[in-house]
Amino acid sequence: MPVADLQIKIEPGATEELMYGFADGDRIIFTIEAQGSAVSEVTVTEYPAALKYRGQNVKEEKKEFTVQGNSVYVFRFGNTTKGKRNCNVTIQRVPKRSEDKNFNTAVKWIKVQDTVWNSLTKDVVAGYDTLQVQKTRRVVAFEKKYEEMVFDKSQRVNAKTSFGDTKASVNFSLPVNTVTKDETKKVVAWAYWIGVGKESNEFWNQNRKVIAGAVQGVATYFTTPLGGIAAGAITNLMLPVNGEDVEYALVNEQNNKLFLQGKPYKSFDSGKGIAGYKRITENDKLQGKFVIALANDNIVQALDVNVKVSAIIEHIKYKDEKYMDKSVTPRYEKKIVREPSIVTREIPVPYGK
């Protein structure tokens, strides 16, 4: 069965190539006849590199090949001279099996992926070295909390029929935090007490006795009922129900001016009663100056208001401590290793049936 019947022209220094696919068992009959001078070189190769025939200075040649497995054959014609070369080429196939009679000898290109192993030198972990290393860290050497009485004062607030002002205020500042490399002192909480007259003083003393009895023999860092409130160890204090009351507000200096002028103001805490107290723990209220503003709406009775402020201070000292720490260091050595890489290439295959 004819596959090709061609007249091939080969330019000086050029190569011409034919490529066809064949079925398993095919017998290939290849004929070349030069027109004039001989062709410098003729080769027949089963793809990719199985050489089946090589001829030099070919004038006329006829060769037969038997195909093992479906294969692609490459027919190459080279001209190493300075003149043109012409030749007639015929390629025929004789199928071994009848079902391969209509086998398509065209060639198609397909992509395949190959795994290529590359050798290279790398630093690889050969083991680990473990060492004991002395290090230094900062640790707490001393820590305690204690109560500090910030303010304790009695303030007179006039009645409406007196010639004095019916409003008054008391100012206080919380202890200033100190922070150094070796030591810190910080206010962590505080509380205030408002009490009117002797009635509130009596209840203050009763609270003191109750607290003293409750914590007897127990290690505590507060010494007053207000300190217990500030520390969060006590949640309630006894308050009087009979007596004169006072209006009060915990404010800053700006809002204290508004309070005294009878204008709208903002407060951190406020109330009205014979006595009252409040614990403060918000971070933005643990430093600075504060004012407790007082107002008396009694017509004839002036008020003596006792104001107490107590803070809880956290005191910490630090020191350097030496300790041994384990240091693990990898140990490397150079080794030749093989690493795979995927290469994509195109190859010709018989088009087939």
Side-chain angles (χ1 to χ4, degrees):
M1 300 181 66
V3 175
D5 187 358
L6 303 170
Q7 185 180 65
I8 297 177
K9 296 179 180 180
I10 314 169
E11 296 294 327
T15 300
E16 298 293 331
E17 187 175 274
L18 303 175
M19 187 178 291
Y20 298 101
F22 296 92
D24 178 41
D26 278 1
R27 188 160 55 91
I28 302 173
I29 303 172
F30 168 65
T31 303
I32 180 173
E33 182 179 348
Q35 296 178 358
S37 300
V39 177
S40 301
E41 185 176 65
V42 178
T43 61
V44 180
T45 305
E46 181 184 342
Y47 186 87
L51 184 65
K52 299 297 183 180
Y53 164 74
R54 170 179 286 167
Q56 293 182 330
N57 298 317
V58 177
K59 185 69 176 177
E60 185 176 346
E61 190 73 84
K62 182 177 182 179
K63 290 291 181 180
E64 293 189 10
F65 313 101
T66 300
V67 177
Q68 302 294 325
N70 290 3
S71 304
V72 172
Y73 274 65
V74 182
F75 303 85
R76 189 173 288 110
F77 310 90
N79 180 13
T80 60
T81 69
K82 296 181 180 179
K84 293 182 179 180
R85 293 291 183 266
N86 298 321
C87 62
N88 294 325
V89 174
T90 61
I91 301 173
Q92 295 179 308
R93 59 178 289 267
V94 180
K96 180 179 180 180
R97 293 176 289 272
S98 59
E99 59 265 28
D100 292 330
K101 180 180 179 181
N102 296 319
F103 188 87
N104 190 342
T105 58
V107 171
K108 61 182 178 181
W109 291 85
I110 62 171
K111 290 183 178 181
V112 296
Q113 290 185 329
D114 296 329
T115 300
V116 178
W117 291 88
N118 301 313
S119 295
L120 64 157
T121 302
K122 293 182 68 175
D123 289 328
V124 298
V125 177
Y128 294 90
D129 295 326
T130 302
L131 300 174
Q132 294 292 327
V133 181
Q134 187 180 74
K135 294 183 178 181
T136 302
R137 60 190 172 195
R138 296 290 283 173
V139 297
V140 174
F142 165 86
E143 181 177 7
K144 76 170 183 177
K145 291 180 180 179
Y146 59 90
E147 177 187 356
E148 181 174 319
M149 184 61 71
V150 177
F151 189 85
D152 188 354
K153 179 182 178 180
S154 182
Q155 175 67 46
R156 169 61 63 96
V157 187
N158 296 316
K160 290 185 176 181
T161 55
S162 68
F163 294 105
D165 198 339
T166 60
K167 294 181 179 179
S169 58
V170 293
N171 301 270
F172 64 91
S173 296
L174 293 174
V176 178
N177 291 345
T178 59
V179 179
T180 66
K181 177 177 175 260
D182 299 319
E183 186 176 18
T184 63
K185 285 185 180 181
K186 293 182 179 181
V187 177
V188 294
W190 60 280
Y192 72 90
W193 162 277
I194 304 290
V196 179
K198 63 178 183 178
E199 292 87 359
S200 67
N201 290 334
E202 290 174 357
F203 270 80
W204 173 264
N205 291 327
Q206 289 184 38
N207 283 309
R208 180 186 287 277
K209 292 178 181 179
V210 172
I211 297 304
V215 301
Q216 188 174 6
V218 179
T220 61
Y221 53 84
F222 55 89
T223 58
T224 70
L226 193 56
I229 291 293
I234 301 169
T235 57
N236 293 291
L237 296 178
M238 294 183 292
L239 298 177
V241 293
N242 295 315
E244 301 295 335
D245 58 14
V246 68
E247 179 185 351
Y248 60 90
L250 177 65
V251 293
N252 57 24
E253 292 178 330
Q254 180 181 357
N255 282 283
N256 179 54
K257 293 178 181 179
L258 297 174
F259 180 91
L260 296 177
Q261 294 170 2
K263 296 179 180 180
Y265 66 93
K266 293 182 179 180
S267 67
F268 304 122
D269 185 48
S270 62
K272 186 177 182 181
I274 306 167
Y277 57 90
K278 177 71 174 180
R279 180 185 187 223
I280 309 294
T281 58
E282 294 88 342
N283 287 333
D284 60 345
K285 300 181 184 66
L286 297 180
Q287 287 288 274
K289 295 181 180 180
F290 295 89
V291 182
I292 293 181
L294 304 169
N296 181 9
D297 60 2
N298 197 296
I299 297 176
V300 297
Q301 181 66 51
L303 303 178
D304 290 317
V305 183
N306 180 246
V307 179
K308 301 180 189 293
V309 177
S310 191
I312 300 298
I313 311 297
E314 181 183 68
H315 184 194
I316 302 176
K317 291 183 179 180
Y318 300 93
K319 68 176 181 179
D320 288 333
E321 177 185 78
K322 296 183 185 294
Y323 70 101
M324 300 303 294
D325 189 25
K326 183 188 294 183
S327 174
V328 179
T329 305
R331 185 174 63 256
Y332 295 93
E333 65 180 29
K334 293 187 179 299
K335 283 188 177 181
I336 297 176
V337 297
R338 298 178 72 236
E339 292 186 347
S341 62
I342 303 300
V343 177
T344 301
R345 60 190 179 92
E346 288 188 331
I347 63 170
V349 297
Y351 198 91
K353 298 178 182 178

